[in-house]
Amino acid sequence: MDIIKDDVIGILKYDGRNKFRDIEITLFGKEYTVSLNIRGNKNTSIHPYQYMAYKELFRRSLLSDIEEKIFSYYLSEVEEFRNMYEEQADQVAPLIDDKNELGALVSLFAIIIPENNKSSEIDMLFECTWDIDGGLGVRIINGVVQEVGTQHVAISG
């Protein structure tokens, strides 16, 4: 695995296809250490929009918006999942009143910054208790949460 030193992002590992580094980020009152994947090959410099996306990741207003949008999404889906899980509903898809309660239900495991020469894009992948197969995905474009859904939202963009 090759090492790349970037003046803005820091030390990245290159696995033959993408650049990686672990970052710390706080959502729902929990601090995560997650893998940041910056798409692009070793010889391609990081695009200006990728730098923009990286900097956006640490804006508290964006993180707060991500929390709010995931909370809204959860509230819109929870009854369907509660009906599916029946007796296990309170453990898997409990009724909640506060977005910080999602900290017990979701776990951020990856952030992807795709190559993009038209806009800054961030794709976030979460595991969640209520949809173990589909997980949870968040797609952010130009600093605005565009979509929340299963991981497919973030992966297929």
Side-chain angles (χ1 to χ4, degrees), residues 134-149:
L136 178 68
V138 176
R139 188 162 195 243
I140 302 152
I141 298 176
N142 293 328
V144 177
V145 177
Q146 296 293 314
E147 193 170 1
V148 176

Side-chain angles (χ1 to χ4, degrees), residues 17-59:
R17 292 188 338 228
N18 298 296
K19 303 166 186 107
F20 294 90
R21 94 172 263 243
D22 286 345
I23 63 169
E24 292 181 2
I25 194 163
T26 302
L27 287 168
F28 305 112
K30 286 175 52 177
E31 189 169 299
Y32 295 95
T33 300
V34 301
S35 176
L36 171 67
N37 176 339
I38 299 178
R39 300 290 167 118
N41 67 44
K42 180 181 176 185
N43 299 321
T44 304
S45 60
I46 296 172
H47 293 258
Y49 285 111
Q50 289 177 303
Y51 284 123
M52 200 182 299
Y54 176 77
K55 291 174 185 174
E56 288 168 353
L57 270 174
F58 302 100
R59 264 193 14 247

Side-chain angles (χ1 to χ4, degrees), residues 2-152:
D2 293 331
I3 302 294
I4 299 168
K5 185 173 180 182
D6 183 83
D7 292 337
V8 175
I9 298 175
I11 296 174
L12 297 157
K13 296 175 186 168
Y14 179 71
D15 71 353
R17 292 188 338 228
N18 298 296
K19 303 166 186 107
F20 294 90
R21 94 172 263 243
D22 286 345
I23 63 169
E24 292 181 2
I25 194 163
T26 302
L27 287 168
F28 305 112
K30 286 175 52 177
E31 189 169 299
Y32 295 95
T33 300
V34 301
S35 176
L36 171 67
N37 176 339
I38 299 178
R39 300 290 167 118
N41 67 44
K42 180 181 176 185
N43 299 321
T44 304
S45 60
I46 296 172
H47 293 258
Y49 285 111
Q50 289 177 303
Y51 284 123
M52 200 182 299
Y54 176 77
K55 291 174 185 174
E56 288 168 353
L57 270 174
F58 302 100
R59 264 193 14 247
R60 185 64 212 149
S61 61
L62 176 60
L63 297 176
S64 181
D65 193 37
I66 292 166
E67 292 172 340
E68 289 297 331
K69 295 286 179 18
I70 292 174
F71 184 55
S72 292
Y73 172 77
Y74 180 76
L75 293 178
S76 73
E77 300 287 318
V78 69
E79 282 304 322
E80 180 180 336
F81 284 104
R82 287 182 65 76
N83 289 335
M84 284 175 27
Y85 288 108
E86 297 173 353
E87 299 90 36
Q88 297 174 322
D90 287 336
Q91 290 80 36
V92 177
L95 297 173
I96 60 175
D97 299 318
D98 184 270
K99 69 180 180 179
N100 285 326
E101 293 176 271
L102 281 169
L105 306 176
V106 300
S107 181
L108 177 65
F109 70 88
I111 299 173
I112 302 163
I113 298 178
E115 280 186 291
N116 193 329
N117 59 6
K118 296 179 183 169
S119 60
S120 72
E121 182 178 336
I122 302 167
D123 300 321
M124 302 176 88
L125 301 173
F126 297 79
E127 293 176 336
C128 62
T129 59
W130 66 88
D131 190 350
I132 56 173
D133 294 327
L136 178 68
V138 176
R139 188 162 195 243
I140 302 152
I141 298 176
N142 293 328
V144 177
V145 177
Q146 296 293 314
E147 193 170 1
V148 176
T150 63
Q151 289 177 7
H152 183 74

